[in-house]
């Protein structure tokens, strides 16, 4: 794979306070860039992180043809950085591209872009357990034209950002509310793609939820406003007895890579995992019966995030604990143990990159 590499002549790393990282605020020295035009992807480039410039007629701005991924790289040792399930992220990126009528990217291009970027910016990968280098591949329509049609040009970037926990709550449980007014996705729409507009459309309801003291919205299905779907920044799991229940991937829920990892580990531990429709009423009833022991979210940015409180239709349930529950904690320790190379990666989820 031929990538043109231009190294930065001045690293900004000394400006970064690695003890006070915020999610997605700082960006490492280099970025990957590839342009699609004349029906094919052109030569890929890695260059210093820099501003990009487009005319105001940029199609992505007008018609929202834009998708992204969120993945992470972890410090294993001074020579090795671990990418977590990069081929799964690549597959999901191409699924999103197909849904949004955008060009797909070859796996070898995606992987070599990531590897070369990490070889240049490995010192940006935080060493502290729980911290990581967040990787944001993004693709958007870059033709400058106002006709409402499929763009003929695209830009694909990969930028990286050293991060700590996504939610300021850290391991303290977050609190969620359903919405009776807004929906995130409907079957046949773009909910299962990682399309930029899915996030933009959720900001107003999320802002209203935050103004009422909640961390995020727990989305319900768009037709009956009854079945739990996801949180928008993470998938959701309910532990009831020895059962782990999560909503199915039926077209409206983002197929999370962490979700898939949680299911695989829970199965391995002999839990009864059910991917099925679960109504918000069932969640509340099971709490009333004393059967609901834990609720947690799972996502790349959020990793495993305990949920302590759900508000729905004037009623609410609270799990009686101030910290993460034992099952979610075991899941967090196992997933991060594999990610940092401290636990056996029996499933081949780790893609180690030798950076020296
Ligand atoms: C992720 O978990 O990577 C996400 O994309 C969620 C959010 C930060 C948009």
């Amino acid at each position: 794979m031929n990538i043109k590499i231009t190294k930065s002549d001045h690293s900004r790393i000394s400006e970064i306070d690695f003890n006070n990282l915020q999610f997605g605020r700082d960006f490492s020295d280099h970025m990957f860039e590839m342009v699609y035009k004349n029906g094919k992807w052109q030569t890929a480039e890695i260059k210093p992180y820099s501003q990009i410039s487009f005319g105001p007629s940029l199609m992505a701005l007008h018609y929202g043809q834009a998708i992204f991924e969120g993945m992470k790289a972890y410090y294993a040792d001074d020579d090795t950085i671990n990418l977590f399930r990069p081929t799964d992220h690549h597959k999901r990126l191409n699924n999103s591209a197909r849904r949004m009528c955008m060009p797909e990217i070859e796996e070898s291009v995606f992987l070599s872009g990531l590897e070369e970027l990490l070889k240049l910016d490995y010192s940006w990968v935080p060493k502290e357990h729980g911290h990581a280098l967040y990787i944001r591949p993004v693709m958007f329509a870059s033709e400058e034209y106002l006709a409402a049609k499929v763009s003929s040009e695209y830009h694909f970037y990969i930028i990286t950002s050293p991060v700590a926990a996504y939610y300021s709550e850290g391991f303290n449980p977050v609190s969620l509310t359903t919405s009776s007014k807004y929906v995130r996705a409907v079957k046949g729409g773009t909910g299962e793609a990682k399309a930029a507009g899915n996030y933009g459309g959720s900001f107003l309801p999320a802002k209203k939820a935050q103004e009422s003291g909640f961390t995020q919205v727990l989305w319900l299905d768009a037709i009956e406003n009854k079945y739990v779907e996801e949180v928008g920044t993470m998938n959701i799991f309910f532990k009831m007895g020895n059962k782990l229940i999560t909503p199915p991937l039926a077209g409206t829920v983002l197929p999370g890579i962490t979700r898939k990892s949680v299911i695989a580990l829970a199965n391995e531990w002999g839990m009864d995992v059910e991917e099925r429709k679960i109504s918000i009423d069932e969640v509340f009833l099971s709490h009333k019966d004393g059967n609901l022991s834990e609720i947690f979210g799972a996502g790349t940015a959020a990793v495993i995030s305990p949920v302590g409180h759900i508000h729905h239709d004037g009623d609410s349930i609270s799990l009686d604990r101030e910290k993460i529950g034992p099952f979610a904690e075991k899941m967090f320790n196992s997933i991060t143990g594999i990610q940092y190379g401290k636990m056996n990666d029996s499933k081949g989820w780790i893609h180690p990159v030798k950076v020296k």
Side-chain angles (χ1 to χ4, degrees), residues 23 68-71 89 92 134-136 166 194 199 232-234 254 299-302:
F23 185 89
F68 68 96
E69 266 305 308
M71 50 193 292
H89 284 282
R92 193 173 64 179
Y134 185 75
I135 300 174
R136 174 53 65 85
Y166 182 69
K194 217 162 163 58
Y199 294 80
T233 46
M234 54 190 191
L254 186 85
T300 297

Side-chain angles (χ1 to χ4, degrees), residues 265-323:
L265 287 176
N267 272 323
E268 190 176 277
W269 299 341
M271 298 226 11
D272 190 358
V273 184
E274 295 181 358
E275 292 180 68
R276 65 159 169 89
K277 282 166 93 165
I278 175 163
S279 70
I280 190 71
D281 292 345
E282 179 182 344
V283 173
F284 273 55
L285 267 180
S286 135
H287 176 260
K288 204 166 156 208
D289 295 348
N291 194 31
L292 176 65
S293 56
E294 293 187 42
I295 310 172
F296 61 91
T300 297
V303 194
I304 299 293
S305 176
V307 174
H309 184 89
I310 296 180
H311 178 266
H312 168 67
D313 198 17
D315 203 358
S316 59
I317 54 170
S318 287
L319 291 184
D320 193 16
R321 74 166 62 85
E322 285 174 4
K323 288 273 160 212

